[in-house]
Amino acid sequence: MSTAFKDAVTVAAPTIVGLAAIVGSAWQQSRSRKHDREMREREQRHERQLKDLDYQRGLLDDAAVALQDATTAAAAIVVMLLAGTYDRAKAIQFDDATGALTLVAARLTFRFGTDSELVRITRAATDHMMKAMAELVAVRLGQTTFDIAQAAAKKQSDALSAITDEFYAACGIIVGAQPTP
């Protein structure tokens, strides 16, 4: 080997090694940035999923409260009709419970879609409330007797109780919980 070649290799070797180190370092930084970006995206997806789950649970809680209030209000109406009296405060409570249930049914529809079992159950509960309300209005207007209205309202109240049980079972399916026996 000639001295000129040895001198060229001696001069070029550190430059080549330096360039290789720079390229290797840039490649490693690129991989590190890509990994960091993927981890941030994964964390953001996870956070969105947790927020979505929190929203679902909150909505299911709201629906359960609305169903419970509706069932309680319907039972109060049955008791009122059994007594053969009209209590304005109970009628207002019943109307408020019906409105809250209707609102929750709409929220469930937006969240879970019209084909959801929860939506079907909540809409059925709203229908029963409306039928019981119709009986109450008929009594108030003198279009029917307390006995007839009481029987019809009792039927709607019993249906609401059954629907509430159905709702809790459907909620357990949505959140992956198993109902306790």
Side-chain angles (χ1 to χ4, degrees), residues 33 53 66 77 111 138:
R33 279 192 218 113
L53 183 59
I77 293 300
R111 179 66 186 93

Side-chain angles (χ1 to χ4, degrees), residues 59-114:
L59 180 55
L60 294 177
D61 287 347
D62 292 348
V65 167
L67 271 170
Q68 188 62 45
D69 289 349
T71 303
T72 303
I77 293 300
V78 171
V79 170
M80 181 179 71
L81 291 172
L82 272 172
T85 60
Y86 179 81
D87 182 343
R88 181 169 159 60
K90 286 182 182 175
I92 290 171
Q93 177 189 13
F94 185 83
D95 189 48
D96 290 346
T98 303
L101 190 59
T102 303
L103 178 63
V104 165
R107 289 176 59 203
L108 286 169
T109 301
F110 288 131
R111 179 66 186 93
F112 295 107
T114 55

Side-chain angles (χ1 to χ4, degrees), residues 5 7 12 16-17 20 22 27 46 48 65 81-82 85 87 91 95 101 112 115 119 126 139 148 170 178:
F5 181 72
D7 290 342
I16 292 171
V17 169
I22 291 171
W27 178 75
H46 184 68
R48 280 191 301 271
V65 167
L81 291 172
L82 272 172
T85 60
D87 182 343
D95 189 48
L101 190 59
F112 295 107
D115 295 334
V119 171
T126 303
V139 165
I148 294 171
Q178 296 297 319

Side-chain angles (χ1 to χ4, degrees), residues 13-170:
T15 305
I16 292 171
V17 169
L19 283 174
I22 291 171
V23 168
S25 175
W27 178 75
Q28 184 63 31
Q29 283 182 343
S30 170
R31 280 188 55 207
S32 175
R33 279 192 218 113
K34 181 180 177 186
H35 175 73
D36 290 347
R37 185 174 50 252
E38 288 171 354
M39 291 302 292
R40 274 193 311 273
E41 289 171 359
R42 190 175 301 142
E43 287 172 5
Q44 289 170 349
R45 263 193 317 274
H46 184 68
E47 284 177 25
R48 280 191 301 271
Q49 288 171 341
L50 287 177
K51 285 180 183 178
D52 188 46
L53 183 59
D54 283 345
Y55 176 76
Q56 282 182 5
R57 287 182 175 160
L59 180 55
L60 294 177
D61 287 347
D62 292 348
V65 167
L67 271 170
Q68 188 62 45
D69 289 349
T71 303
T72 303
I77 293 300
V78 171
V79 170
M80 181 179 71
L81 291 172
L82 272 172
T85 60
Y86 179 81
D87 182 343
R88 181 169 159 60
K90 286 182 182 175
I92 290 171
Q93 177 189 13
F94 185 83
D95 189 48
D96 290 346
T98 303
L101 190 59
T102 303
L103 178 63
V104 165
R107 289 176 59 203
L108 286 169
T109 301
F110 288 131
R111 179 66 186 93
F112 295 107
T114 55
D115 295 334
S116 168
E117 184 70 9
L118 292 173
V119 171
R120 183 198 64 74
I121 291 167
T122 311
R123 292 212 182 276
T126 303
D127 290 345
H128 288 295
M129 290 292 283
M130 295 295 187
K131 289 174 185 173
M133 178 63 83
E135 292 300 326
L136 184 61
V137 169
V139 165
R140 189 73 178 132
L141 296 175
Q143 296 173 345
T144 190
T145 64
F146 278 101
D147 293 344
I148 294 171
Q150 186 274 327
K154 173 91 170 89
K155 179 180 175 185
Q156 302 309 323
S157 179
D158 291 346
L160 271 171
S161 293
I163 282 173
T164 301
D165 293 340
E166 252 185 273
F167 178 82
Y168 290 134

